[in-house]
């Protein structure tokens, strides 16, 4: 009898708990500006590309040219009245060399027709290039936390973005992409790329096996991935998702850096990023068409290059540690 009463009581408690949890979740979604992703079957046709991996083991779509119906998605997101953020960091020589072509091409090809806010993180407000933006596009210039050029590292860029995310970026956009500045948009980069957690497949490594991937191999590093493990090699050039998810990537990167610094280790941003996606599987992957390196002979699988990697400054092999020394969103100082 007592057990019956007790279990009745605990069921009531549980129901109460779930209704509160439900309510809190709803409020949370509202606070975080999150929107529901559309049904995959409504817009994704992986069977159109039998030549490539279009679905991961954990059932996330890999977006290749020909697999998506952008019109349906455009209508869907238009109704939801979304705003998409694009964050880029330009300081010192990088700002002078790469920022203008990046911004000009982003204006032409990034999320055409939708409301876009471009966040430019920079060390010097006076040295920004003149760029004329199309309709429904605005930009915001955000200061780097440590603007001295010698401190302008990916860690500084991402930490600065993290701080601004907590302040206002979070409330201003539904989706956000953090991109490296040395890329040029070549073709439309549209709403088919939106998702809760979006990772970019690395052009150099797509056609290789996991045991070849340049993951962090020192077991004491926070970025360590055991030999033979791992799904794909992701590129640091493009990281996307909800502001909450992008914050979470940066948070883990900073914690990993701090952990490793305490152990006198250092690893590149891309290693921490790969570790992050190893544990937190992305909900959407972008094919190497979204970030193709024109220095590689283009295989037939690459049908349409949306973004071309533009590392002019001695970094044509961007995965090698030292050579990304001065790249934004990528390595350390
Ligand atoms: C769409 O969003 C913008 C900015 O968030 C807002 O100013 C505008 O009123 C919204 N329009 C509609 C129809 O909800």
């Amino acid at each position: 009898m007592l057990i019956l009463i007790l279990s009745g009581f605990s069921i009531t408690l549980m129901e109460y708990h779930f209704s509160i949890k439900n309510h809190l979740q709803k409020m949370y979604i509202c606070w975080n500006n999150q929107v529901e992703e559309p049904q995959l079957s409504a817009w994704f046709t992986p069977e159109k590309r039998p030549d490539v991996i279009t679905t991961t083991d954990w059932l996330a779509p890999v977006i290749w040219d020909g697999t998506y119906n952008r019109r349906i998605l455009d209508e869907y997101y238009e109704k939801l009245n979304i705003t998409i953020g694009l964050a880029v960091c330009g300081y010192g020589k990088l700002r002078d060399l790469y920022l203008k072509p990046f911004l000009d091409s982003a204006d032409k090809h990034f999320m055409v027709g939708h409301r876009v806010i471009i966040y430019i993180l920079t060390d010097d407000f006076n040295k920004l290039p003149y760029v004329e933006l199309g309709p429904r596009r605005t930009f915001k210039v955000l200061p780097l936390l440590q603007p001295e050029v010698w401190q302008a590292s990916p860690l500084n860029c991402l930490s600065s973005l993290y701080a601004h995310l907590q302040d206002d970026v979070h409330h201003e956009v539904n989706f956000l992409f953090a991109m490296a500045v040395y890329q040029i948009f070549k073709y439309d980069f549209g709403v088919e790329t939106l998702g809760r957690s979006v990772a970019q497949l690395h052009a150099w490594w797509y056609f290789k096996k996991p045991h070849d991937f340049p993951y962090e191999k020192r077991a004491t590093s926070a970025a360590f991935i055991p030999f033979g493990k791992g799904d794909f090699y992701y590129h640091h050039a493009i990281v996307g998702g909800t502001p909450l998810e992008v914050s979470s990537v940066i948070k883990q990167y900073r914690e990993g850096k701090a952990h490793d610094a305490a152990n006198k280790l250092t690893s590149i941003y891309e290693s921490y990023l790969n570790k992050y996606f190893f544990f937190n599987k992305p909900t959407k992957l972008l094919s190497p068409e979204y970030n193709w390196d024109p220095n590689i002979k283009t295989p037939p699988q690459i049908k349409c290059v949306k973004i071309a990697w533009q590392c002019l400054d001695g970094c044509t092999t961007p995965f090698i540690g030292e050579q990304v020394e001065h790249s934004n969103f990528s390595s350390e100082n």
Side-chain angles (χ1 to χ4, degrees):
M1 183 67 179
L2 186 65
I3 291 171
L4 257 170
I5 291 172
L6 271 178
S7 61
F9 181 65
S10 65
I11 286 170
T12 323
L13 253 179
M14 258 163 68
E15 275 170 6
Y16 181 65
H17 170 78
F18 281 122
S19 88
I20 288 193
K21 198 173 153 218
N22 230 327
H23 183 63
L24 281 178
Q25 270 171 351
K26 273 186 201 145
M27 276 169 46
Y28 180 76
I29 286 168
C30 181
W31 283 336
N32 282 289
N33 236 357
Q34 291 197 0
V35 299
E36 200 57 44
E37 283 178 43
Q39 281 279 323
L40 260 186
S41 57
W43 61 273
F44 187 58
T45 42
E47 60 277 11
K48 293 244 177 87
R49 291 295 304 268
D51 56 328
V52 287
I53 302 169
T54 45
T55 305
T56 64
D57 296 346
W58 60 96
L59 304 182
V62 187
I63 309 302
W64 288 87
D65 194 56
T67 58
Y68 55 87
N69 183 327
R70 192 185 282 149
R71 195 183 44 77
I72 289 176
L73 291 173
D74 271 335
E75 278 170 19
Y76 176 82
Y77 285 113
E78 186 59 48
K79 272 200 206 100
L80 292 174
N81 193 25
I82 59 163
T83 304
I84 305 145
L86 173 59
V88 65
C89 187
Y91 52 81
K93 209 167 97 192
L94 288 175
R95 179 197 58 232
D96 301 338
L97 271 176
Y98 298 108
L99 198 53
K100 185 164 169 61
F102 177 87
L103 294 172
D104 280 338
S105 64
D107 181 52
K108 217 183 281 168
H109 296 299
F110 183 75
M111 305 291 168
V112 175
H114 295 272
R115 193 179 315 99
V116 170
I117 303 176
I118 302 178
Y119 298 98
I120 305 170
L121 291 121
T122 190
D123 54 338
D124 192 343
F125 286 36
N126 297 315
K127 290 197 182 136
L128 289 178
Y130 176 75
V131 176
E132 216 167 310
L133 293 179
R136 307 199 77 194
R137 273 128 211 284
T138 50
F139 68 87
K140 290 197 169 179
V141 182
L142 305 174
L144 285 174
L145 295 180
Q146 297 166 300
E148 296 78 13
V149 170
W150 59 273
Q151 286 175 322
S153 64
L155 187 61
N156 185 11
C157 280
L158 290 167
S159 295
S160 306
L161 177 60
Y162 185 82
H164 295 298
L165 264 163
Q166 310 313 307
D167 291 347
D168 25 69
V169 175
H170 209 77
H171 311 288
E172 292 171 345
V173 297
N174 305 95
F175 296 102
L176 176 68
F177 281 92
M179 293 200 190
V181 72
Y182 26 64
Q183 339 186 40
I184 291 190
F185 289 82
K186 294 286 183 190
Y187 208 77
D188 287 350
F189 188 107
V191 289
E192 73 279 4
T193 62
L194 297 179
R196 186 173 61 73
S197 169
V198 183
Q200 173 64 51
L201 293 176
H202 201 302
W204 285 80
W205 301 103
Y206 174 74
F207 299 97
K208 302 257 162 58
K209 292 273 165 288
H211 58 259
D212 297 322
F213 295 164
Y215 293 142
E216 174 58 65
K217 296 186 177 80
R218 292 168 295 181
T220 45
S221 168
F224 174 64
I225 295 179
F227 185 77
K229 290 276 191 317
D231 311 293
F232 297 99
Y233 192 75
Y234 302 108
H235 202 313
H236 73 274
I238 300 174
V239 177
T242 58
L244 197 68
E245 188 65 26
V246 176
S247 290
S248 161
V249 170
I250 302 174
K251 184 160 175 281
Q252 186 149 325
Y253 166 47
R254 292 175 54 179
E255 286 168 4
K257 281 294 289 178
H259 170 276
D260 285 1
N263 294 306
K264 305 221 164 11
L265 283 173
T266 174
S267 196
I268 59 167
Y269 164 47
E270 202 162 76
S271 299
Y272 296 101
L273 183 68
N274 272 277
K275 178 65 173 268
Y276 181 87
F277 284 134
F278 178 54
F279 277 120
N280 308 275
K281 306 290 189 211
T283 60
K284 187 176 270 183
L285 284 72
L286 305 182
S287 81
E289 294 165 319
Y290 283 88
N291 186 287
W292 188 249
D293 186 338
N295 294 306
I296 317 176
K297 192 168 158 276
T298 310
Q301 290 93 332
I302 305 299
K303 307 273 186 223
C304 167
V305 174
K306 322 277 185 184
I307 288 186
W309 182 246
Q310 280 292 307
C311 216
L312 307 171
D313 203 21
C315 46
T316 48
T317 49
F319 49 88
I320 295 172
E322 309 110 75
Q323 282 169 300
V324 282
E325 202 77 335
H326 49 216
S327 56
N328 77 324
F329 286 158
S330 86
S331 72
E332 340 307 328
N333 53 10

